[in-house]
Amino acid sequence: MKLNELRPAEGATKSRKRLGRGKGSGLGKTSGRGEKGQKSRSGYRSKRGFEGGQMPLVRRLPKRGFTNIFAPETKEITLGLISIHFKDGESVTLEALREKKLVNSRVEKIVVLASGELTTKVTVVADRITKGAREAILAKGGTIQEPAAKSAE
């Protein structure tokens, strides 16, 4: 088979709608837009969430809660990710994750999740470690340390 012989599978492609090409096409005259009204005019665009004058759903529902802009940004790290990027005896810290470009500079806390399989013996320094992840790290012979508390400025 050559590149010029490649063809899409049977039934994979559909011919485009040819609008306004006579009654026989089924899409002649009004081109499938109906008779009159705003939606039949050229240049019509509906606003996102517009419901034809009815009070939109986003305005019918009550506002709830707020986003705390001072909350520390947290990143979830899986055991699978640790296995890929860290060798035996290495330490998994926030700084080490930054060096390996796994978290950005805005991240202040890391949470270790038990997703994936841990294949290396590592020392984990994290703000939070799930129960399953803790068991997996200790089962591999790894160690868990609490992060050093930041001094109040």
Side-chain angles (χ1 to χ4, degrees), residues 129-150:
I129 302 170
T130 62
K131 188 179 167 187
R134 188 176 295 274
E135 289 167 1
I137 293 162
L138 296 174
K140 268 288 176 202
T143 55
I144 296 167
Q145 295 175 1
E146 294 296 319
K150 288 182 182 171

Side-chain angles (χ1 to χ4, degrees), residues 5 10 14 26-27 33-34 38 47 50 55 65-66 68 70 74 90 93 95 106 120-121 124 128 132 136 142-143:
E5 293 172 356
E10 195 64 44
K14 220 174 146 182
L27 291 166
R33 287 173 178 251
Q38 190 175 10
K47 285 188 172 76
F50 184 67
M55 186 61 68
F66 72 103
N68 181 1
F70 300 107
T74 306
E90 281 191 312
T93 63
E95 289 73 36
R106 290 191 308 270
T120 55
K121 179 183 170 183
V124 179
R128 202 156 64 84
T143 55

Side-chain angles (χ1 to χ4, degrees), residues 70-85:
F70 300 107
E73 192 168 321
T74 306
K75 177 84 172 155
E76 296 170 344
I77 303 295
T78 63
L79 293 179
L81 197 72
I82 291 171
S83 296
I84 294 166
H85 296 282

Side-chain angles (χ1 to χ4, degrees), residues 33-79:
R33 287 173 178 251
E35 291 295 328
K36 291 181 280 192
Q38 190 175 10
K39 285 174 82 172
S40 71
R41 314 295 182 197
S42 69
Y44 166 76
R45 279 192 58 175
S46 176
K47 285 188 172 76
R48 183 176 55 241
F50 184 67
E51 297 182 20
Q54 172 178 303
M55 186 61 68
L57 181 69
V58 73
R59 288 187 61 198
R60 291 197 303 267
L61 297 175
K63 293 194 277 186
R64 255 184 84 83
F66 72 103
T67 302
N68 181 1
I69 60 167
F70 300 107
E73 192 168 321
T74 306
K75 177 84 172 155
E76 296 170 344
I77 303 295
T78 63
L79 293 179

Side-chain angles (χ1 to χ4, degrees), residues 9 72 113:
L113 304 179

